[in-house]
Amino acid sequence: MSFLIKKPDDIKSSEITSQSVYHERREFIKKMSLATTALIGAGHLSLAEAKAYPELAKSQFSSADKLTSLDDIKSYNNFYEFGTGKVDPAKNAKNFNPKPWSIAVEGEIEKPGVFDLEDFVKPYALEERIYRFRCVEGWSMVIPWVGFPLADMIKQFKPTSKAKYVEFVTLYDKEKMPGQAIRVLPWPYTEGLRIDEAMNPLTLMAVGLYGDELPNQNGAPIRLVVPWKYGFKNIKSIVKIRFTEHEPVSTWHKIGPKEYGFYSNVNPDVDHPRWSQKTERRIGEPFWSPKIQTQMFNGYSEQVAHLYSGMDLKRFF
Ligand code: MTE
């Protein structure tokens, strides 16, 4: 069943990837899935072990840090739509069914539309990106995401000259997301980026991690990953992407403008009003391990510092 209302009829895969690379990749994926099916058939692999993205090229932007375990990534979450405790999302998102899913793309673009998730993702080359992930609360992880650069998608929708920002919106459905029955946050969860931040090659639309589909508690079926910003900018379970002329108001900024700025770049020199941001604790490491020194832009200065040249980062925090 397709939820497609308007087809992106002029999005051709060949516009993004050369024909030969595209066909080689398709061939490879076909062979891999045949091999996986054969392994399942022969009883060497159970269906549960067959991953959605078994073989992906690793991005040049990948970090060499030790990976956080899949168990930790899936069991220590912030996803208020499924409860405010760290263990709540794993428990309460068990029955969440992210299929079918559609995404509306609208605002200051030439090609707005509402797309079935599969059609939306199909044109883009997926890759594995191992990124450091730093939460504003002082903990961090290293996560092997599966995704594609947001810039690839933005180019297809042809933003107009008025498109200065991109706003993202999470699903609002109390039946499916029980935490939304309580007004701990103004629902739906929203986030935003400046268009040049959105176009930066590091900015990722993630559809999986550890070679498989995104676990529900991590933002299935599609979420944003902006590794040089604090975790809350990484909005989950996105249903709408809107291009705007004016800076969008993100959820955490709305409820605490003095604590959560629009930019929220990782910055050890700008404390949160209630705690320091100089160090972090890697989830999964023994509690006696020394704390890690947090790096400017979470260690991604080379790729992103130029976006903020001349800006007072204490004011635009
Ligand atoms: N997105 C939505 N829709 N709702 C949320 O509560 N929490 C944010 C972010 N995205 C959140 C969200 C916060 S505070 C963090 S730290 C990260 O998701 C956590 O991502 P993870 O659970 O995959 O580690």
Side-chain angles (χ1 to χ4, degrees), residues 74-92:
K74 289 191 335 187
S75 57
Y76 191 86
N77 301 100
N78 276 334
F79 200 174
Y80 279 26
E81 285 84 340
F82 293 102
T84 54
K86 294 284 180 278
V87 296
D88 292 345
K91 213 169 49 199
N92 300 335

Side-chain angles (χ1 to χ4, degrees), residues 73 76-81 133 135 139 141 143 145 170 185 189 217-218 223 231-232 234-236 252:
I73 294 172
Y76 191 86
N77 301 100
N78 276 334
F79 200 174
Y80 279 26
E81 285 84 340
F133 185 88
C135 178
W139 50 267
M141 295 190 185
I143 303 177
W145 300 107
T170 294
L185 291 178
Y189 196 100
Q217 59 267 42
N218 293 93
R223 71 174 291 172
F232 68 88
N234 297 247
I235 182 172
K236 298 174 169 181
W252 283 99

Side-chain angles (χ1 to χ4, degrees), residues 2-73:
S2 170
F3 266 38
L4 184 70
I5 293 169
K6 186 166 176 181
K7 252 196 183 321
D9 46 12
D10 45 1
I11 299 179
K12 289 194 222 100
S13 301
S14 55
E15 281 172 30
I16 308 149
T17 312
S18 76
Q19 286 280 357
S20 60
V21 172
Y22 175 81
H23 287 299
E24 266 171 35
R25 203 176 62 223
R26 291 282 131 162
E27 247 339 274
F28 180 72
I29 292 168
K30 214 158 71 192
K31 278 185 191 145
M32 283 310 299
S33 46
L34 282 177
T36 309
T37 313
L39 282 170
I40 294 168
H44 295 304
L45 200 62
S46 75
L47 253 182
E49 284 167 314
K51 292 187 172 178
Y53 312 105
E55 286 293 331
L56 286 176
K58 196 194 271 185
S59 153
Q60 49 157 333
F61 296 117
S62 284
S63 156
D65 287 15
K66 182 181 151 205
L67 294 182
T68 303
S69 76
L70 179 59
D71 264 2
D72 281 332
I73 294 172

Side-chain angles (χ1 to χ4, degrees), residues 50-56 128 144-146 208-213:
K51 292 187 172 178
Y53 312 105
E55 286 293 331
L56 286 176
E128 182 179 75
W145 300 107
V146 172
L209 56 85
Y210 265 108
D212 218 339
E213 284 174 345

Side-chain angles (χ1 to χ4, degrees), residues 122-263:
K122 210 183 282 166
Y124 312 112
L126 296 178
E127 54 187 77
E128 182 179 75
R129 295 251 182 134
I130 301 170
Y131 277 159
R132 287 181 293 276
F133 185 88
R134 169 67 156 80
C135 178
V136 73
E137 296 164 330
W139 50 267
S140 63
M141 295 190 185
V142 182
I143 303 177
W145 300 107
V146 172
F148 60 90
L150 176 61
D152 289 355
M153 183 215 101
I154 292 180
K155 283 177 207 151
Q156 301 306 315
F157 288 96
K158 301 210 187 312
T160 69
S161 59
K162 283 190 180 162
K164 305 275 193 309
Y165 296 90
V166 190
E167 180 181 42
F168 304 85
V169 184
T170 294
L171 175 70
Y172 186 28
D173 183 336
K174 288 182 210 169
E175 300 289 308
K176 292 184 170 164
M177 296 182 150
Q180 289 175 335
I182 308 158
R183 262 191 86 79
V184 282
L185 291 178
W187 310 113
Y189 196 100
T190 58
E191 255 310 333
L193 296 173
R194 221 170 54 190
I195 190 95
D196 57 346
E197 298 179 316
M199 291 294 291
N200 186 274
L202 287 187
T203 307
L204 203 68
M205 292 298 282
V207 293
L209 56 85
Y210 265 108
D212 218 339
E213 284 174 345
L214 273 182
N216 290 341
Q217 59 267 42
N218 293 93
I222 187 161
R223 71 174 291 172
L224 182 69
V225 181
V226 200
W228 72 96
K229 292 180 179 283
Y230 289 118
F232 68 88
K233 297 292 291 182
N234 297 247
I235 182 172
K236 298 174 169 181
S237 306
I238 296 168
V239 291
K240 192 181 287 178
I241 301 177
R242 188 188 296 135
F243 292 74
T244 64
E245 191 174 3
H246 303 289
E247 190 178 285
V249 183
S250 37
T251 295
W252 283 99
H253 184 75
K254 201 181 280 173
I255 63 166
K258 296 212 171 85
E259 305 199 357
Y260 308 102
F262 173 76
Y263 287 94

Side-chain angles (χ1 to χ4, degrees), residues 91-135:
K91 213 169 49 199
N92 300 335
K94 269 203 185 87
N95 297 327
F96 177 68
N97 181 4
K99 288 177 187 165
W101 192 265
S102 60
I103 296 194
V105 189
E106 56 183 49
E108 296 295 342
I109 46 172
E110 286 176 22
K111 299 163 179 290
V114 181
F115 307 96
D116 173 83
L117 181 74
E118 280 172 20
D119 294 316
F120 180 78
V121 171
K122 210 183 282 166
Y124 312 112
L126 296 178
E127 54 187 77
E128 182 179 75
R129 295 251 182 134
I130 301 170
Y131 277 159
R132 287 181 293 276
F133 185 88
R134 169 67 156 80
C135 178

